[in-house]
Amino acid sequence: MSTNYTGEQIEVLRGLEAVRKRPGMYIGNTAERGLHQLVYEAVDNAVDEAMAGHARTIQVVLLADGSCSVEDDGRGIPIDMHAEERVPAVEVVMTILHAGAKFGKGGYKVSGGLHGVGISVVNALSEWMITEVKRDGFLWQMKFERGITVQKLKKIGKATGTGTRQWFKPDPEVFEVSEFHWDILQKRLRELAFLNRGLAITLRDERPVRSGEPVRERTYEFDGGIVSFVEWLNGKKDALHPIISTHAERDGVDVEVAMQYTDTYADQIFSYANNIATIEGGMHLQGFRQAVTNAVNGYARKRGMLKESDNSLSTDDIVEGLTAVVSVKLQDPQFEGQTKTKLGNARVRSIVAGLVSERLDFFLEENPKYARAIVDKCMQAQRARDAAKKARDLSRRKNALEGSGLPGKLVDCKNGNAAECELFLVEGDSAGGTAKGGRDPNNQAILPLRGKIINVEKARLDKVLANEEIRTMITALGTGFGDEFNVEKLRYHKIIIMTDADVDGSHIRTLLLTFFYRQMKPLVVEGHVFIAQPPLYGIRKGKRQWWAFTEAELKAVIGEDGKDFTIQQYKGLGEMDAEQLAETTMEVGHRRLKQITVEDAVEAEQIFTDLMGDKVEPRKQYIFDYAKSVKNLDL
Ligand code: 0RA
């Protein structure tokens, strides 16, 4: 290589240096998430080519050497000389930060904070990368190492058809982990296939498998697009009517909506902008909710189901049991919010609302039987909500009479600063007593929960509120719940579920998580909920003592034969005394907490429905898949 750098080479080196110095700025982090982000970046480019109408298939292959290949059948990245940079266009795309945008491909280029950082970032963070382009009857190839071109564009053979292949090996100098996870990739690829009707995405795992296991390969392709998505989401629920859907472009915004009511109590509404999950919602979601509320109220009034003197149905009443996917694609998405997953473009609200109103008004008029079922369902929700409100007002008044209003069972802490306080939700009075003995009274509070918590997935709000354990917990947390939930009133910033490591314990844990997820979602989304991890084993040898939290840790301490060690297996919290519980499970510095995260709302919803809903079959399947699902949810 010449030492007389051109301007372009200097720009490339500066760009690479920036990316390799602060990878987190470009891909979030250098752990599991960042590693998978590399694949998403390559796939997003291919999906863009598909959205522009030029590619139909995408193949993602995980190879034995830890590399990943993403291939599409689009037009192929251009290989002609770039006028300004005087190198082939493909080299510009691969080596210059944000070069993709310069090409102004047209169509709906994603420019979110999460994606669209440019394939050159993947290149910079890869030990090696090979780009192949099929165009004009030839196969072209370029090679890179840590973003630096090591083989200029070269014709390596003949080819039929067109397309692009991006093959890269993440750099172990950059990433703390190196293994791609099938489950993580599969979920996102499936979602992309749902969101892009007709696009076929294949995931293939060519890494060595345990003997007897087949090589995994799955293709996701849905001719129904988001209608198939809703069908899949409701697969295990009973629907009240056929799926209602609409798809249209208005003022440059492509809008797709599919919706269906079920006989359940929770709503599952997923929104997307340019294929990015808008976890924090935004204008498209607002438009949707507003339109559905107006349409159902309008119909109910017109048919006399709601009398003049009746209150209108609220949006919360109207979304109960509703499953919906709202997907918009637009040129200039504005992503806002804490995690940049809230769509800010105001005009999108009225565009979505207009389309949904039109479609839903028409559906209700044309299908009186289904319309009645929907309105009935919403009115039942309204009645339950009224009953719940009365119960709540009553209990508020009662609390006011009783003084502080905090439940008697709560062993509170002294510190008044919520950010420093922790609440342990403990299974049973006896473990509660032990925890009380082991806590730090300054900032750790204990709330023992007796008996079973009601399953919120199967009961309406009024029933849920009649449950004493639930009421006690709500009062202790201080936030209210449901539509009145206010995270700013939270009295403890860490809520730690501490249950036994047995079936009952995991049941209670799941019931609590379901309640938080359904009625206090921000608590979960903002990362306030944790699971305590008591040790599985206590190990002694002479005067020395260890704790093991996994089988592997046990092995590591005692070695293969375990001679001279006394091993005690802990089945429940009750088997430890206060000091042991504090030392292993409660004290900062020793304990291991698992934070509950909702990275993947679709997955979380499915798991809660499966786990807690009416149908038995999915629950059996869940128990079968238990280990796997728990891992997905990061419990
Ligand atoms: C710029 C212009 C054209 C295609 C592409 C980029 C392109 C990029 C990627 C990335 C992955 N797969 C891709 N496929 C295409 C259009 C070139 C033309 O007009 O033929």
Side-chain angles (χ1 to χ4, degrees), residues 430-431 434 500 502 536 547 568-578 580-581:
S430 102
T434 314
D500 287 340
D502 59 9
L536 291 178
W547 305 98
Q568 189 193 354
Q569 188 177 358
Y570 288 107
K571 292 220 181 64
L573 302 168
E575 292 179 32
M576 278 183 271
D577 61 30
Q580 288 171 324
L581 188 63

Side-chain angles (χ1 to χ4, degrees), residues 42 45-46 49 72 74-78 93 103 105 135 163-164 166:
N45 283 303
E49 184 68 1
D72 68 65
R75 292 166 294 179
I77 303 178
V93 170
F103 281 79
K105 259 195 298 169
R135 269 184 91 106
T164 302
Q166 298 287 18

